[in-house]
Amino acid sequence: MLRPFTLHRPETAEEACALLAGLGEEAAAYAGGTELLLMMKLGLLRPRHLVDVKRIRGFGDIGLEPLSGRRLTIGAAVTHRAVEQSALVRARCPLVSSVARHVANVRVRNVGTVGGNLAFADPHSDLATLFLTLDASVELLSPRGRRELPLDDFVRGPWETSRASDELLGSVTLTPWASDTAAAYVKFGVHERPTLAVAAALRLDGTTGAGRNGRDRIVEARVAVGCVSLKPVRMAAAEARLTDLSIGDLDDAARAAADAAAAGVDPADDLYGSADYKREMVAVFVGRALRIAAARARGAESAARFPHTVVA
Ligand SMILES: Cc1cc2nc3c(=O)[nH]c(=O)nc-3n(C[C@H](O)[C@H](O)[C@H](O)COP(=O)(O)OP(=O)(O)OC[C@H]3O[C@@H](n4cnc5c(N)ncnc54)[C@H](O)[C@@H]3O)c2cc1C
Protein backbone atom coordinates (compact mmCIF):
# COMPACT_ATOMS: atom_id res chain seq x y z
CA MET A 1 0.00 0.00 0.00
CA LEU A 2 1.15 3.55 -0.72
CA ARG A 3 1.79 5.71 2.35
CA PRO A 4 0.55 9.31 2.14
CA PHE A 5 2.84 11.81 0.41
CA THR A 6 2.77 15.40 -0.82
CA LEU A 7 3.08 15.95 -4.55
CA HIS A 8 5.01 19.04 -5.71
CA ARG A 9 4.72 20.13 -9.31
CA PRO A 10 7.45 22.69 -10.06
CA GLU A 11 7.71 24.29 -13.48
CA THR A 12 11.38 25.17 -13.44
CA ALA A 13 14.50 23.16 -12.70
CA GLU A 14 15.54 25.81 -10.12
CA GLU A 15 12.30 25.32 -8.16
CA ALA A 16 12.62 21.54 -8.32
CA CYS A 17 16.25 21.54 -7.18
CA ALA A 18 15.42 23.94 -4.33
CA LEU A 19 12.65 21.54 -3.22
CA LEU A 20 14.98 18.54 -3.33
CA ALA A 21 17.68 20.46 -1.43
CA GLY A 22 15.22 21.74 1.20
CA LEU A 23 13.37 18.47 1.77
CA GLY A 24 16.49 16.27 1.76
CA GLU A 25 15.98 12.53 2.39
CA GLU A 26 12.21 13.06 2.65
CA ALA A 27 11.88 13.78 -1.08
CA ALA A 28 12.28 11.90 -4.35
CA ALA A 29 12.11 13.01 -7.98
CA TYR A 30 9.06 11.54 -9.67
CA ALA A 31 8.67 11.12 -13.44
CA GLY A 32 6.55 8.26 -14.85
CA GLY A 33 6.56 6.44 -11.52
CA THR A 34 6.98 2.98 -13.10
CA GLU A 35 9.90 2.19 -10.77
CA LEU A 36 9.35 4.68 -7.97
CA LEU A 37 5.73 3.83 -7.18
CA LEU A 38 6.56 0.12 -7.30
CA MET A 39 9.36 0.64 -4.75
CA MET A 40 7.00 2.70 -2.60
CA LYS A 41 4.25 0.06 -2.75
CA LEU A 42 6.79 -2.57 -1.68
CA GLY A 43 7.86 -0.30 1.19
CA LEU A 44 11.45 -0.19 -0.08
CA LEU A 45 11.31 3.62 -0.44
CA ARG A 46 9.23 5.88 1.79
CA PRO A 47 9.51 9.47 0.54
CA ARG A 48 7.03 11.88 2.11
CA HIS A 49 7.39 14.31 -0.80
CA LEU A 50 7.42 13.59 -4.52
CA VAL A 51 8.84 16.25 -6.83
CA ASP A 52 7.20 15.77 -10.22
CA VAL A 53 9.69 16.57 -12.99
CA LYS A 54 7.30 16.23 -15.92
CA ARG A 55 6.20 19.89 -16.00
CA ILE A 56 9.69 21.32 -15.84
CA ARG A 57 10.37 23.48 -18.88
CA GLY A 58 12.70 21.75 -21.32
CA PHE A 59 12.54 18.34 -19.65
CA GLY A 60 10.08 17.09 -22.28
CA ASP A 61 12.07 18.37 -25.27
CA ILE A 62 14.07 16.53 -27.91
CA GLY A 63 16.42 18.69 -29.98
CA LEU A 64 19.88 19.25 -31.36
CA GLU A 65 22.51 20.56 -28.96
CA PRO A 66 22.90 24.27 -29.88
CA LEU A 67 26.70 24.24 -29.54
CA SER A 68 27.50 21.40 -31.95
CA GLY A 69 24.21 21.43 -33.93
CA ARG A 70 24.87 17.72 -34.34
CA ARG A 71 24.50 16.01 -30.98
CA LEU A 72 20.99 14.92 -30.00
CA THR A 73 19.61 15.99 -26.63
CA ILE A 74 16.71 14.11 -25.05
CA GLY A 75 15.05 15.71 -22.02
CA ALA A 76 14.81 13.62 -18.86
CA ALA A 77 10.99 13.57 -18.90
CA VAL A 78 10.70 12.35 -22.49
CA THR A 79 8.87 9.01 -22.53
CA HIS A 80 10.06 5.92 -24.38
CA ARG A 81 7.00 6.28 -26.61
CA ALA A 82 7.94 9.87 -27.53
CA VAL A 83 11.48 8.72 -28.36
CA GLU A 84 10.05 6.00 -30.58
CA GLN A 85 7.79 8.49 -32.38
CA SER A 86 10.27 11.37 -32.75
CA ALA A 87 11.19 12.11 -36.37
CA LEU A 88 14.39 13.82 -35.18
CA VAL A 89 15.53 10.74 -33.23
CA ARG A 90 14.71 8.52 -36.20
CA ALA A 91 16.72 10.79 -38.52
CA ARG A 92 19.79 11.22 -36.27
CA CYS A 93 19.90 8.01 -34.21
CA PRO A 94 17.64 5.46 -35.95
CA LEU A 95 18.69 2.57 -33.72
CA VAL A 96 17.55 4.54 -30.65
CA SER A 97 14.04 4.72 -32.17
CA SER A 98 13.99 1.01 -32.92
CA VAL A 99 15.20 0.08 -29.45
CA ALA A 100 12.63 2.40 -27.81
CA ARG A 101 9.90 0.34 -29.50
CA HIS A 102 11.13 -2.73 -27.62
CA VAL A 103 11.54 -1.31 -24.11
CA ALA A 104 9.24 -3.00 -21.59
CA ASN A 105 5.56 -3.03 -22.65
CA VAL A 106 3.34 -0.33 -24.12
CA ARG A 107 1.96 0.66 -20.70
CA VAL A 108 5.46 1.32 -19.33
CA ARG A 109 6.61 2.97 -22.58
CA ASN A 110 3.73 5.44 -22.44
CA VAL A 111 4.69 6.86 -19.05
CA GLY A 112 8.24 5.65 -18.33
CA THR A 113 10.89 8.24 -19.13
CA VAL A 114 14.44 8.25 -20.41
CA GLY A 115 15.59 10.16 -17.30
CA GLY A 116 13.83 7.75 -14.95
CA ASN A 117 15.42 4.81 -16.71
CA LEU A 118 18.96 6.23 -16.44
CA ALA A 119 18.56 7.67 -12.93
CA PHE A 120 17.20 4.36 -11.59
CA ALA A 121 20.33 2.60 -12.98
CA ASP A 122 18.76 -0.83 -13.15
CA PRO A 123 21.54 -2.97 -14.66
CA HIS A 124 18.93 -4.38 -17.09
CA SER A 125 18.57 -1.08 -18.93
CA ASP A 126 18.43 -1.07 -22.72
CA LEU A 127 19.06 2.65 -22.89
CA ALA A 128 22.23 2.71 -20.81
CA THR A 129 23.69 -0.12 -22.91
CA LEU A 130 22.87 1.42 -26.29
CA PHE A 131 23.75 4.97 -25.22
CA LEU A 132 27.31 3.90 -24.31
CA THR A 133 27.97 3.33 -28.02
CA LEU A 134 26.68 6.86 -28.73
CA ASP A 135 29.15 8.57 -26.34
CA ALA A 136 26.27 9.69 -24.15
CA SER A 137 26.67 12.35 -21.50
CA VAL A 138 24.13 13.40 -18.90
CA GLU A 139 23.28 16.86 -17.62
CA LEU A 140 22.90 17.23 -13.84
CA LEU A 141 21.25 20.31 -12.31
CA SER A 142 21.39 21.47 -8.70
CA PRO A 143 21.31 24.67 -6.65
CA ARG A 144 25.10 24.78 -7.26
CA GLY A 145 24.59 24.92 -11.04
CA ARG A 146 24.96 22.52 -13.93
CA ARG A 147 27.46 19.78 -14.65
CA GLU A 148 27.86 17.26 -17.45
CA LEU A 149 29.14 13.72 -16.96
CA PRO A 150 29.84 10.87 -19.36
CA LEU A 151 27.10 8.25 -18.92
CA ASP A 152 29.74 5.69 -17.98
CA ASP A 153 30.75 7.84 -14.99
CA PHE A 154 27.14 8.61 -14.08
CA VAL A 155 26.09 4.95 -13.73
CA ARG A 156 28.26 3.56 -10.96
CA GLY A 157 26.70 0.14 -10.46
CA PRO A 158 23.36 -1.55 -9.79
CA TRP A 159 20.86 1.17 -8.76
CA GLU A 160 23.73 3.52 -7.99
CA THR A 161 24.66 6.74 -9.79
CA SER A 162 26.92 9.74 -9.21
CA ARG A 163 23.84 11.96 -8.75
CA ALA A 164 23.78 13.90 -5.45
CA SER A 165 20.43 13.83 -3.61
CA ASP A 166 19.65 17.45 -4.56
CA GLU A 167 20.59 16.98 -8.21
CA LEU A 168 18.18 16.40 -11.05
CA LEU A 169 18.97 14.62 -14.26
CA GLY A 170 18.01 17.23 -16.88
CA SER A 171 18.81 15.50 -20.15
CA VAL A 172 21.01 13.03 -21.97
CA THR A 173 23.00 13.98 -25.06
CA LEU A 174 23.98 11.46 -27.72
CA THR A 175 26.60 11.71 -30.47
CA PRO A 176 25.07 10.26 -33.65
CA TRP A 177 27.26 7.81 -35.53
CA ALA A 178 28.75 8.79 -38.88
CA SER A 179 26.43 7.98 -41.78
CA ASP A 180 28.60 5.07 -42.98
CA THR A 181 27.92 3.10 -39.79
CA ALA A 182 26.03 -0.19 -39.70
CA ALA A 183 24.66 -1.26 -36.35
CA ALA A 184 22.49 -3.76 -34.52
CA TYR A 185 20.99 -4.16 -31.08
CA VAL A 186 20.13 -7.63 -29.86
CA LYS A 187 18.49 -8.52 -26.58
CA PHE A 188 17.41 -11.75 -25.04
CA GLY A 189 15.17 -12.38 -22.09
CA VAL A 190 12.55 -14.57 -20.52
CA HIS A 191 11.57 -12.13 -17.75
CA GLU A 192 10.08 -8.64 -18.08
CA ARG A 193 13.50 -7.05 -18.34
CA PRO A 194 16.28 -8.24 -20.64
CA THR A 195 18.67 -10.98 -19.46
CA LEU A 196 21.33 -9.78 -21.86
CA ALA A 197 21.66 -6.90 -24.31
CA VAL A 198 24.33 -6.16 -26.91
CA ALA A 199 24.78 -3.03 -29.02
CA ALA A 200 27.24 -3.20 -31.93
CA ALA A 201 28.20 -0.48 -34.42
CA LEU A 202 30.70 -0.79 -37.26
CA ARG A 203 31.92 2.32 -39.04
CA LEU A 204 33.20 1.63 -42.55
CA ASP A 205 35.69 3.70 -44.48
CA GLY A 206 33.13 4.05 -47.24
CA THR A 207 35.76 4.52 -49.96
CA THR A 208 35.10 1.18 -51.63
CA GLY A 209 31.32 1.43 -51.56
CA ALA A 210 29.58 -0.28 -48.67
CA GLY A 211 27.61 -3.34 -49.59
CA ARG A 212 28.81 -3.63 -53.16
CA ASN A 213 32.03 -5.61 -53.06
CA GLY A 214 32.34 -6.72 -49.43
CA ARG A 215 35.80 -5.14 -49.14
CA ASP A 216 34.99 -2.18 -46.96
CA ARG A 217 37.29 -1.65 -44.03
CA ILE A 218 35.96 -1.33 -40.51
CA VAL A 219 37.60 1.86 -39.27
CA GLU A 220 35.88 1.88 -35.91
CA ALA A 221 33.94 -0.72 -33.93
CA ARG A 222 31.78 -0.16 -30.88
CA VAL A 223 30.43 -2.97 -28.75
CA ALA A 224 28.54 -2.57 -25.47
CA VAL A 225 27.17 -5.37 -23.31
CA GLY A 226 24.45 -4.77 -20.75
CA CYS A 227 22.58 -6.67 -18.04
CA VAL A 228 25.29 -9.16 -17.06
CA SER A 229 27.94 -7.08 -15.28
CA LEU A 230 27.36 -4.58 -12.47
CA LYS A 231 26.71 -1.95 -15.13
CA PRO A 232 26.69 -1.82 -18.94
CA VAL A 233 30.21 -1.83 -20.39
CA ARG A 234 32.00 -0.99 -23.62
CA MET A 235 34.09 -3.99 -24.65
CA ALA A 236 37.43 -2.42 -25.67
CA ALA A 237 39.19 -5.77 -26.30
CA ALA A 238 36.37 -6.94 -28.58
CA GLU A 239 36.38 -3.61 -30.43
CA ALA A 240 40.14 -3.82 -30.99
CA ARG A 241 39.75 -7.20 -32.71
CA LEU A 242 37.38 -5.72 -35.28
CA THR A 243 39.13 -2.48 -36.17
CA ASP A 244 40.96 -2.25 -39.48
CA LEU A 245 39.43 -5.43 -40.89
CA SER A 246 37.57 -5.97 -44.11
CA ILE A 247 33.85 -6.46 -43.55
CA GLY A 248 34.20 -9.59 -45.70
CA ASP A 249 36.49 -11.14 -43.05
CA LEU A 250 34.11 -10.41 -40.22
CA ASP A 251 33.06 -13.98 -39.52
CA ASP A 252 36.37 -15.13 -37.96
CA ALA A 253 36.91 -11.76 -36.29
CA ALA A 254 33.38 -11.83 -34.86
CA ARG A 255 34.19 -15.12 -33.14
CA ALA A 256 37.38 -13.67 -31.64
CA ALA A 257 35.57 -10.48 -30.61
CA ALA A 258 32.74 -12.48 -29.05
CA ASP A 259 35.26 -14.53 -27.01
CA ALA A 260 37.02 -11.32 -25.93
CA ALA A 261 33.68 -9.85 -24.81
CA ALA A 262 32.80 -13.00 -22.88
CA ALA A 263 36.18 -12.82 -21.12
CA GLY A 264 35.59 -9.13 -20.35
CA VAL A 265 32.25 -9.34 -18.51
CA ASP A 266 31.87 -9.88 -14.80
CA PRO A 267 28.61 -11.79 -14.32
CA ALA A 268 27.12 -13.13 -11.09
CA ASP A 269 24.70 -15.99 -10.41
CA ASP A 270 21.16 -14.63 -9.97
CA LEU A 271 17.55 -15.16 -11.04
CA TYR A 272 18.50 -14.45 -14.64
CA GLY A 273 20.95 -17.36 -14.75
CA SER A 274 24.35 -18.59 -13.61
CA ALA A 275 27.53 -16.63 -14.27
CA ASP A 276 28.75 -19.37 -16.66
CA TYR A 277 25.50 -19.29 -18.61
CA LYS A 278 25.65 -15.51 -18.95
CA ARG A 279 29.27 -15.58 -20.12
CA GLU A 280 28.38 -18.16 -22.75
CA MET A 281 25.39 -16.08 -23.86
CA VAL A 282 27.56 -12.97 -24.17
CA ALA A 283 29.77 -14.83 -26.68
CA VAL A 284 26.72 -16.00 -28.65
CA PHE A 285 24.97 -12.61 -28.68
CA VAL A 286 28.01 -10.45 -29.41
CA GLY A 287 28.71 -12.70 -32.41
CA ARG A 288 25.09 -12.47 -33.47
CA ALA A 289 24.95 -8.65 -33.16
CA LEU A 290 28.16 -8.27 -35.17
CA ARG A 291 26.93 -10.58 -37.96
CA ILE A 292 23.64 -8.68 -38.19
CA ALA A 293 25.49 -5.34 -38.32
CA ALA A 294 27.81 -6.74 -41.02
CA ALA A 295 24.83 -8.02 -43.04
CA ARG A 296 23.27 -4.56 -42.80
CA ALA A 297 26.53 -3.03 -44.03
CA ARG A 298 26.13 -5.21 -47.10
CA GLY A 299 22.54 -4.04 -47.51
CA ALA A 300 21.06 -7.34 -46.35
CA GLU A 301 18.86 -8.19 -43.39
CA SER A 302 19.06 -11.64 -41.82
CA ALA A 303 15.75 -13.48 -41.86
CA ALA A 304 16.83 -15.70 -38.94
CA ARG A 305 14.60 -15.45 -35.87
CA PHE A 306 15.49 -16.74 -32.41
CA PRO A 307 13.17 -17.43 -29.44
CA HIS A 308 12.91 -14.74 -26.74
CA THR A 309 15.22 -12.54 -28.82
CA VAL A 310 14.58 -9.01 -30.02
CA VAL A 311 16.61 -7.59 -32.88
CA ALA A 312 16.51 -3.84 -33.34
C1 LIG B 1 7.41 -4.21 -16.24
C2 LIG B 1 8.63 -3.41 -16.60
C3 LIG B 1 9.42 -3.81 -17.67
C4 LIG B 1 10.55 -3.06 -18.01
N1 LIG B 1 11.31 -3.46 -19.09
C5 LIG B 1 12.36 -2.71 -19.45
C6 LIG B 1 13.13 -3.05 -20.61
O1 LIG B 1 12.86 -4.00 -21.34
N2 LIG B 1 14.20 -2.25 -20.90
C7 LIG B 1 14.54 -1.15 -20.16
O2 LIG B 1 15.49 -0.47 -20.46
N3 LIG B 1 13.80 -0.81 -19.08
C8 LIG B 1 12.75 -1.55 -18.74
N4 LIG B 1 12.00 -1.18 -17.65
C9 LIG B 1 12.41 0.02 -16.92
C10 LIG B 1 11.66 1.26 -17.47
O3 LIG B 1 12.30 1.71 -18.60
C11 LIG B 1 11.70 2.26 -16.41
O4 LIG B 1 10.81 1.76 -15.44
C12 LIG B 1 11.26 3.68 -16.79
O5 LIG B 1 11.92 4.22 -17.87
C13 LIG B 1 11.54 4.54 -15.57
O6 LIG B 1 11.08 5.83 -15.85
P1 LIG B 1 10.02 6.54 -14.92
O7 LIG B 1 9.81 7.84 -15.54
O8 LIG B 1 8.83 5.68 -14.70
O9 LIG B 1 10.86 6.64 -13.58
P2 LIG B 1 10.34 6.84 -12.09
O10 LIG B 1 9.77 5.56 -11.59
O11 LIG B 1 9.51 8.05 -11.97
O12 LIG B 1 11.73 7.10 -11.38
C14 LIG B 1 12.74 6.11 -11.31
C15 LIG B 1 13.86 6.61 -10.41
O13 LIG B 1 14.55 7.68 -11.03
C16 LIG B 1 14.45 8.88 -10.24
N5 LIG B 1 14.22 9.95 -11.20
C17 LIG B 1 13.26 10.02 -12.16
N6 LIG B 1 13.44 11.10 -12.93
C18 LIG B 1 14.52 11.74 -12.44
C19 LIG B 1 15.21 12.93 -12.83
N7 LIG B 1 14.85 13.69 -13.88
N8 LIG B 1 16.29 13.29 -12.11
C20 LIG B 1 16.69 12.54 -11.05
N9 LIG B 1 16.09 11.41 -10.66
C21 LIG B 1 15.02 11.01 -11.35
C22 LIG B 1 13.32 8.64 -9.28
O14 LIG B 1 13.47 9.36 -8.07
C23 LIG B 1 13.40 7.14 -9.06
O15 LIG B 1 14.41 6.84 -8.12
C24 LIG B 1 10.89 -1.91 -17.27
C25 LIG B 1 10.09 -1.51 -16.18
C26 LIG B 1 8.96 -2.24 -15.85
C27 LIG B 1 8.13 -1.78 -14.70
Side-chain angles (χ1 to χ4, degrees):
M1 210 180 69
L2 277 179
R3 287 151 57 106
F5 57 83
T6 305
L7 182 62
H8 303 266
R9 311 189 89 179
E11 296 195 353
T12 65
E14 290 76 17
E15 271 179 79
C17 291
L19 278 163
L20 287 178
L23 296 164
E25 301 275 290
E26 299 272 280
Y30 161 65
T34 59
E35 306 287 17
L36 183 65
L37 296 182
L38 201 62
M39 303 299 274
M40 288 169 66
K41 280 181 192 160
L42 293 170
L44 295 171
L45 288 177
R46 299 181 170 190
R48 290 184 185 282
H49 298 266
L50 296 191
V51 179
D52 188 345
V53 299
K54 294 189 289 295
R55 292 181 171 202
I56 298 178
R57 279 197 285 282
F59 274 37
D61 294 351
I62 300 177
L64 294 179
E65 184 193 52
L67 209 60
S68 67
R70 199 177 96 74
R71 298 183 77 211
L72 182 73
T73 297
I74 303 176
V78 172
T79 63
H80 300 296
R81 186 96 174 110
V83 170
E84 177 193 336
Q85 293 183 329
S86 160
L88 185 59
V89 176
R90 203 172 312 124
R92 300 293 172 133
C93 297
L95 198 60
V96 173
S97 301
S98 321
V99 169
R101 200 175 311 138
H102 296 290
V103 169
N105 53 54
V106 70
R107 190 185 60 80
V108 171
R109 286 198 294 278
N110 267 329
V111 290
T113 63
V114 170
N117 184 296
L118 299 177
F120 195 58
D122 184 314
H124 300 268
S125 162
D126 286 309
L127 307 197
T129 306
L130 176 60
F131 288 1
L132 277 186
T133 63
L134 289 152
D135 292 334
S137 56
V138 297
E139 176 195 46
L140 293 168
L141 306 165
S142 77
R144 295 172 300 287
R146 175 189 182 279
R147 62 181 179 130
E148 197 169 328
L149 274 184
L151 178 64
D152 194 31
D153 294 342
F154 175 68
V155 179
R156 280 200 178 146
W159 304 284
E160 196 195 334
T161 69
S162 312
R163 185 178 78 83
S165 59
D166 63 348
E167 275 183 315
L168 273 182
L169 178 57
S171 62
V172 58
T173 297
L174 311 174
T175 309
W177 298 316
S179 57
D180 43 11
T181 301
Y185 187 84
V186 183
K187 69 169 172 170
F188 165 82
V190 288
H191 303 290
E192 277 172 337
R193 296 163 202 247
T195 298
L196 167 65
V198 177
L202 304 173
R203 183 159 69 86
L204 309 170
D205 67 3
T207 53
T208 51
R212 284 201 291 278
N213 52 21
R215 283 189 286 109
D216 294 82
R217 243 170 20 93
I218 299 169
V219 288
E220 188 182 8
R222 294 169 178 227
V223 178
V225 175
C227 311
V228 291
S229 298
L230 296 177
K231 60 184 229 175
V233 266
R234 278 279 292 271
M235 311 300 323
E239 293 173 353
R241 287 176 189 262
L242 298 161
T243 310
D244 235 11
L245 285 178
S246 152
I247 197 93
D249 296 335
L250 189 98
D251 256 9
D252 285 342
R255 218 162 292 132
D259 289 343
V265 291
D266 181 22
D269 297 344
D270 63 17
L271 285 175
Y272 288 84
S274 69
D276 287 346
Y277 165 77
K278 290 181 196 171
R279 209 181 279 285
E280 187 63 35
M281 294 297 271
V282 168
V284 172
F285 276 81
V286 167
R288 205 169 275 177
L290 289 170
R291 286 185 193 96
I292 295 169
R296 287 176 177 170
R298 296 187 200 103
E301 187 70 43
S302 163
R305 293 284 174 267
F306 306 97
H308 306 297
T309 302
V310 168
V311 177

